[in-house]
Amino acid sequence: MSGTDKSSTTRRELLQAAASAGAATTLLGGLGVNPAMAAEVGRSEKPLKAAFSNAGLQATWCAQGKQAAEWWGKLFNVEVTWFDGQLDAVKQRAAIDNMASQKWDFVAIQAFGIGTLTQPVQKMIDAGTPVIDMDTLIAPLDQINVHAFLAPDNEFMGASVTQALVNAIGGKGKVIMTQGALGHTGAQGRAKGFNTVVKQFPNIEVLDTQPADWDVSKTARLWETYLTKYPQIDAAFFHNDDMALAAYNIMKAHNRTSILIGGVDAMPPAIQAVSEGRMFATVRNPSCRIHGGAIVAGVAAVTAGEKSGKGIPKSVVTDGPVVTKANAAGMQWMEDHFLI
């Protein structure tokens, strides 16, 4: 399922052209963005320079976020420079050290792990650069003065998909959770949501909860082991869709496709898998809204003087629904236009 059909591309080009001509307020209002906010923020008269980093562009969620940030950046006259985290805390730290050695109008970061980037981020904050934290905590909010934290309710996401799986197997059976990186606060929230649900069902047996660190190769190795070790697996919850679909391929190779699969992110391949019945459900972690929102927040801070905790809350919860066959097509449309 592609998000780059000709009609979508044409609409995006029209939006960007109109924004360049000074019509951004009307257009953003039509997209559901508050026109008053758009008028106040506006398209910057001079090009702004922003630095972005997320956990690693190997992950489809992160790659989609990069596309969204660059697209919203064009609307608001922001040049986005990317520092790839490469799904490695050490490599991301080196990238952020490099970022912190340069001057930016604002910065947006999704950390691979909590506490790994505190020093260079603090350096940028001390220099007066607004830093927007995306999706997972760089450090606890009472320990670092980021401009704002844009993130989904990860506990809700974990609980909602787990509940859907448990309901589907009648509240009894054997399940596995495959976690993301344990230092990622989003993964921690998703695990908490999973555990909150399964402990309510005494007839649910959790067979394994090992992390795969968002790595599809590691996920495949884990699931080769699981399918050999466990003759019965009724459902599986994965902390992201990439891992869920990697595991599905292993299940298919072993003729074990009766296992119900739930994921997180609602990326286009997962939406298609839900529509076709290969996945039971996923939930939208709104990459486009988070990365695009970071652009809006950064521009507001620079051009309108929006202050942290006043003009913008310190913590902004970005919502996203559970995705089933009933709403998959609409969710795909919104992703095609970087709206959620």
Side-chain angles (χ1 to χ4, degrees):
M1 180 176 292
S2 173
T4 58
D5 60 75
K6 184 176 180 180
S7 61
S8 297
T9 302
T10 300
R11 285 190 290 269
R12 291 177 194 174
E13 290 171 349
L14 286 172
L15 283 170
Q16 290 167 359
S20 300
T25 300
T26 301
L27 288 165
L28 294 173
L31 293 175
V33 179
N34 188 326
M37 179 278 291
E40 181 181 354
V41 175
R43 177 180 168 86
S44 178
E45 292 184 2
K46 67 170 186 176
L48 300 181
K49 294 182 64 176
F52 272 65
S53 177
N54 54 25
L57 296 176
Q58 303 100 306
T60 57
W61 187 91
C62 294
Q64 186 186 66
K66 180 176 184 287
Q67 287 183 306
E70 291 170 345
W71 188 78
W72 284 93
K74 289 178 182 177
L75 284 178
F76 282 94
N77 201 15
V78 179
E79 179 186 347
V80 175
T81 301
W82 212 268
F83 293 79
D84 187 8
Q86 301 184 63
L87 297 183
D88 184 293
V90 174
K91 291 178 180 178
Q92 188 181 38
R93 173 57 187 264
I96 302 306
D97 283 336
N98 181 17
M99 180 191 291
S101 71
Q102 303 175 53
K103 183 173 177 58
W104 310 97
D105 291 299
F106 66 92
V107 163
I109 296 170
Q110 177 210 25
F112 183 73
I114 189 170
T116 59
L117 306 175
T118 307
Q119 185 176 359
V121 169
Q122 188 61 56
K123 178 181 177 181
M124 289 185 281
I125 292 171
D126 290 344
T129 305
V131 176
I132 295 98
D133 191 347
M134 303 186 296
D135 183 61
T136 185
L137 289 170
I138 295 170
L141 294 179
D142 61 354
Q143 296 180 22
I144 192 165
N145 191 29
V146 295
H147 183 70
F149 176 46
L150 277 63
D153 183 339
N154 283 284
E155 187 173 346
F156 158 77
M157 292 196 299
S160 61
V161 174
T162 303
Q163 187 69 60
L165 291 170
V166 169
N167 289 347
I169 62 175
K172 58 183 180 181
K174 301 177 187 294
V175 303
I176 288 176
M177 171 172 62
T178 300
Q179 301 190 67
L182 296 182
H184 184 286
T185 58
Q188 293 166 9
R190 292 168 207 183
K192 185 176 180 181
F194 171 86
N195 289 323
T196 297
V197 171
V198 297
K199 73 180 183 181
Q200 300 175 38
F201 293 87
N203 293 322
I204 292 289
E205 179 184 354
V206 179
L207 299 174
D208 207 296
T209 62
Q210 289 187 63
D213 302 324
W214 319 117
D215 187 321
V216 295
S217 297
K218 186 172 182 179
T219 301
R221 291 193 297 271
L222 279 176
W223 275 86
E224 286 281 1
T225 301
Y226 294 155
L227 294 174
T228 301
K229 184 176 181 180
Y230 302 115
Q232 179 186 346
I233 305 170
D234 297 294
F237 170 55
F238 297 84
H239 281 193
N240 79 356
D241 294 331
D242 292 352
M243 295 190 296
L245 291 172
Y248 173 81
N249 289 334
I250 304 302
M251 296 174 195
K252 184 178 180 181
H254 287 264
N255 197 29
R256 298 281 296 274
T257 55
S258 63
I259 300 169
L260 295 184
I261 297 174
V264 172
D265 289 340
M267 294 300 299
I271 293 174
Q272 183 173 4
V274 169
S275 297
E276 296 173 352
R278 289 178 287 119
M279 285 180 64
F280 180 73
T282 183
V283 61
R284 181 56 176 162
N285 180 4
S287 180
C288 301
R289 182 174 291 166
I290 291 170
H291 288 79
I295 291 285
V296 174
V299 172
V302 175
T303 67
E306 189 170 76
K307 302 298 183 183
S308 177
K310 296 179 181 178
I312 185 171
K314 182 65 71 175
S315 181
V316 178
V317 176
T318 56
D319 56 343
V322 174
V323 180
T324 64
K325 288 183 179 181
N327 64 350
M331 189 60 52
Q332 181 63 62
W333 183 88
M334 286 193 284
E335 288 187 43
D336 286 346
H337 300 281
F338 301 124
L339 297 176
I340 190 169

